[in-house]
Amino acid sequence: MNSQYFKIKKNKLPDSPGVYFFLGPRKKILYIGKATSLQDRVKSYFSKDISDTRSTLIEKMVESAVALDFKQTDSVLEALMLEAELIKTFKPSFNTKQKDDKSLYCIVITNEKFPRIMMIRKKDLNTEFTPSQVKSIFGPYPSSTALKEALKIIRKIFPYRDDKCKTAEEQKGISRPCFNRSIGLCPGTCTGEISEKNYAETIKYLTMFFKGNIKILSQSLDKKMMQLAKAEKFEEAADTQKKIYALKHIQDVSLITEDGELKNTGSGLMRIEAYDVAHLSGKSTVGVMTVFTDGQADKNQYRVFNINSGKINDIASLSEILTRRLRHDEWVKPSVVVVDGSN
């Protein structure tokens, strides 16, 4: 058993969600991860079969670590937000996926009178927006599926405007409700039902949330509720109280996913990689890798390989693709590999 385990065990990790930090000499942060159960997640790094269940990179990280720290959260959703913000701040050397993969998604708050909340690939940020059009950027987040679920949850508590909602001003004075307004996910920026001041307050709360400052957010809402009650604005106070309750009782089972750091052997996930070769105008050749995790297409994991040989030979091209793919020890290993056998 790795000697670090005993140092970590003394920390008495809780069986609750949170974010954990593997630390190197002088408390340098080597790796940041989130967990549904801090206790179970951290213990899994010190199993005897770590070489079978974790990537080579993660195995090396554990060997380099000398201590561990953690921050407990009230929900997996809070851990997801906090993990992304801390990785962005500290840039740990072993969090390679978030650091290098531009296909990951970010959350963008636009710089407008009524800002939009949007989910954008990191690589598309500069083409979709100019710097002056962006108020805030959060992430990137390692799982697009988890991020979508997170936004669904938080939008029910704090309805916001997205790219499908046009303001009354943009509609040339016509107050036409967008679809999300009809189901309560837009606060009425399209119909003029919410003032610029009140919507700015919503953006302030969302910013706190995306930064992982959930406790500060709850305290702000508590203060607001007391002020509203004192002013005898009881309906607004009750609405604020509902938001506080919702934050404290977030149902985020859908966010519980395995980390990309796990290998498939023993991880409980079935990863299928399918490969095909395509010829562009009979000249350039590319190889495509598509990925399915537990039967679901995982588009964030798709890859395109430019074939270097220059020859139109599918067998040779597939051999090159697979050789180059298997050099990536940091990628999750497949359970099944499927190749196009048309030749």
Side-chain angles (χ1 to χ4, degrees):
M1 184 69 70
N2 193 310
S3 61
Q4 285 97 310
Y5 173 77
F6 297 103
K7 293 181 182 179
I8 291 167
K9 192 175 181 180
K10 289 178 183 177
N11 286 337
K12 296 181 180 178
L13 292 165
D15 183 21
S16 63
V19 176
Y20 55 92
F21 313 81
F22 276 93
L23 306 175
R26 299 180 182 178
K27 295 186 178 181
K28 180 183 178 181
I29 298 176
L30 302 177
Y31 182 82
I32 298 173
K34 70 177 182 301
T36 303
S37 167
L38 286 164
Q39 186 179 92
D40 292 343
R41 172 64 75 188
V42 171
K43 281 184 179 180
S44 72
Y45 286 92
F46 300 96
S47 61
K48 292 179 181 179
D49 60 347
I50 185 172
S51 60
D52 295 327
T53 58
R54 301 279 174 174
S55 69
T56 303
L57 192 70
I58 293 300
E59 188 177 2
K60 181 181 177 183
M61 181 275 294
V62 174
E63 291 173 355
S64 303
V66 297
L68 181 130
D69 200 358
F70 68 92
K71 182 177 177 62
Q72 189 174 346
T73 61
D74 293 328
S75 67
V76 181
L77 178 57
E78 183 178 351
L80 175 72
M81 295 293 128
L82 186 59
E83 177 199 35
E85 192 65 18
L86 291 172
I87 289 173
K88 184 177 180 179
T89 300
F90 294 103
K91 299 178 174 60
S93 55
F94 286 92
N95 284 99
T96 56
K97 184 175 182 181
Q98 291 90 332
K99 185 167 58 178
D100 300 329
D101 195 340
K102 295 186 181 298
S103 66
L104 298 180
Y105 280 89
C106 297
I107 293 173
V108 170
I109 299 181
T110 60
N111 188 23
E112 302 176 77
K113 184 177 178 180
F114 290 97
R116 291 168 290 160
I117 308 296
M118 299 173 66
M119 186 173 157
I120 301 289
R121 285 185 190 274
K122 184 179 177 182
K123 67 178 182 180
D124 296 330
L125 284 173
N126 292 333
T127 56
E128 293 282 338
F129 303 101
T130 62
S132 63
Q133 292 175 319
V134 175
K135 183 181 180 69
S136 303
I137 300 173
F138 304 94
Y141 300 87
S143 169
S144 61
T145 301
L147 181 57
K148 287 176 183 176
E149 291 299 323
L151 289 175
K152 283 181 184 177
I153 292 167
I154 195 62
R155 195 172 189 181
K156 290 177 182 177
I157 304 173
F158 298 104
Y160 59 77
R161 178 189 175 212
D162 61 15
D163 60 323
K164 295 181 177 64
C165 174
K166 295 188 181 297
T167 64
E169 187 176 332
E170 290 172 331
Q171 297 181 79
K172 298 180 180 179
I174 300 173
S175 298
R176 184 184 296 113
C178 66
F179 172 74
N180 285 313
R181 177 59 190 146
S182 65
I183 57 175
L185 297 180
C186 166
T189 51
C190 47
T191 56
E193 295 173 68
I194 186 170
S195 68
E196 185 178 352
K197 180 181 177 182
N198 288 343
Y199 189 67
E201 188 175 50
T202 295
I203 294 298
K204 181 183 75 173
Y205 293 145
L206 285 167
T207 299
M208 290 180 189
F209 182 84
F210 295 143
K211 285 185 175 181
N213 297 329
I214 314 300
K215 287 182 173 60
I216 295 175
L217 170 55
S218 295
Q219 290 168 2
S220 297
L221 289 171
D222 277 327
K223 184 177 179 180
K224 180 185 177 182
M225 182 183 68
M226 296 300 291
Q227 290 173 340
L228 289 169
K230 189 175 181 180
E232 297 186 358
K233 297 180 179 180
F234 300 117
E235 188 175 340
E236 292 178 53
D239 183 62
T240 304
Q241 186 178 37
K242 287 178 184 177
K243 295 183 188 299
I244 296 169
Y245 181 86
L247 276 176
K248 291 179 179 178
H249 298 84
I250 289 171
Q251 299 298 313
D252 52 12
V253 176
S254 58
L255 298 176
I256 301 172
T257 59
E258 293 290 343
D259 291 342
E261 73 195 29
L262 292 174
K263 290 184 179 178
N264 283 97
T265 306
S267 70
L269 293 176
M270 171 63 75
R271 177 184 172 100
I272 299 174
E273 292 182 1
Y275 295 86
D276 196 5
V277 176
H279 307 288
L280 305 178
S281 302
K283 296 178 181 179
S284 302
T285 304
V286 296
V288 180
M289 179 184 86
T290 55
V291 179
F292 294 82
T293 303
D294 278 352
Q296 299 296 317
D298 192 351
K299 295 185 178 180
N300 281 341
Q301 302 294 321
Y302 287 13
R303 296 291 183 272
V304 175
F305 300 83
N306 291 316
I307 305 304
N308 298 322
S309 64
K311 298 179 181 179
I312 299 179
N313 183 323
D314 285 2
I315 301 300
S317 296
L318 285 168
S319 177
E320 180 184 330
I321 295 164
L322 290 168
T323 299
R324 287 165 57 187
R325 184 265 176 264
L326 292 172
R327 287 178 187 152
H328 288 277
D329 286 331
E330 75 277 16
W331 294 4
V332 179
K333 294 296 186 292
S335 307
V336 178
V337 173
V338 179
V339 296
D340 185 352
S342 59
N343 278 6

